[in-house]
Amino acid sequence: MAAALDLRGRVVVVTGAGSGMGRSYALEAARRGAVLALADYDPAGLAQTAGLLPAGTTVLTRVLDVSDRDAVEAFAASVDADLGGAHVVINNAGIEGAVLAAEAIPEEVHRRVMAVNFDGVRYGTLAFLPQLRARDRAALVNVSSLFGLIGTPHHSDYCASKFAVRGFTEALAAELVGTGVSVHLVHPGGVATNIARQAGSQAFAAKYLTTAPDDIARLVLDALGTRRTRIVAGHRAPSTFLGSRLLPLWVMTRLVRRDLDAVLD
């Protein structure tokens, strides 16, 4: 098996770097000696992440809405011009869904969730792919979710976006076989971040979001460039993944509903 990428002096791009998993990816990459290009929609969170980096870390920051394709392409151009191009791209930015039954989700909310969670990953991939292809070895990390493996009630918008990330990334991985770009698809489960912001999500967060984001970041960066291309990790992630693979859908949906009934409003 190929050795993991050595990040010393290599350019690592992270979207959604202002908090949660994105901040953990940034800090862990910096500890490994990477040059960083960090983007986030929240300027205050992005500045806070930059302030937490080890002394001497080279970093480029950009306030960015990943659903804006022109802005993502401009960010990629800046990384190329100012840092010499990316070696690793982690498309991590994402938002919570409406946490409502499917028929109650406003159309504009559903479209926004898809625009950020799926189109943001797609735009980031396409904008940086030429830079990655130019390297002898490079890595692309697209972050799906445990909800990109199973459908869960009151999360149809979020699940749709994360299933889309999964399908896009698996297809892209097949296209890039034989190149120097390793493609990694991450399905984190139960990670303790601030993505669950709505009042109706707090019982869910308290029960399920318990895994430290730093643990996932180390695991993902250890896998870069190796054959560990699907990364399923976090609270209850392995068992859920196994169920999604082995159980009939009618069984899985009933198990999921029974498990979530206690936290659904």
Side-chain angles (χ1 to χ4, degrees), residues 56-220:
T57 302
T58 299
V59 58
L60 169 71
T61 61
R62 176 68 57 88
V63 176
L64 180 67
D65 180 351
V66 295
S67 71
D68 182 339
R69 185 168 191 169
D70 290 341
V72 173
E73 290 177 348
F75 176 51
S78 293
V79 172
D80 197 25
D82 298 340
L83 301 178
H87 296 85
V88 176
V89 175
I90 304 176
N91 287 308
N92 164 77
I95 59 174
E96 184 182 23
V99 197
L100 295 170
E103 67 270 23
I105 298 173
E107 180 64 16
E108 64 273 15
V109 173
H110 193 109
R111 289 186 178 276
R112 179 62 180 165
V113 171
M114 291 298 296
V116 174
N117 292 359
F118 172 58
D119 286 332
V121 168
R122 185 167 62 93
Y123 296 157
T125 296
L126 298 177
F128 283 100
L129 193 55
Q131 298 176 28
L132 299 180
R133 281 183 173 273
R135 308 295 189 184
D136 290 335
R137 291 186 72 200
L140 172 71
V141 178
N142 286 345
V143 179
S144 177
S145 168
L146 197 61
F147 288 6
L149 295 170
I150 60 169
T152 56
H154 290 202
H155 294 91
S156 62
D157 49 355
Y158 187 80
C159 288
S161 69
K162 293 302 187 176
F163 268 83
V165 169
R166 174 186 172 187
F168 172 76
T169 305
E170 289 183 1
L172 181 69
E175 294 175 8
L176 294 177
V177 167
T179 73
V181 183
S182 64
V183 179
H184 303 272
L185 177 60
V186 184
H187 293 282
V191 182
T193 71
N194 64 350
I195 191 171
R197 299 170 187 253
Q198 300 184 61
S201 303
Q202 298 316 300
F204 173 88
K207 181 176 179 179
Y208 295 107
L209 305 188
T210 60
T211 300
D214 290 350
D215 293 343
I216 306 296
R218 285 190 292 270
L219 187 67
V220 171

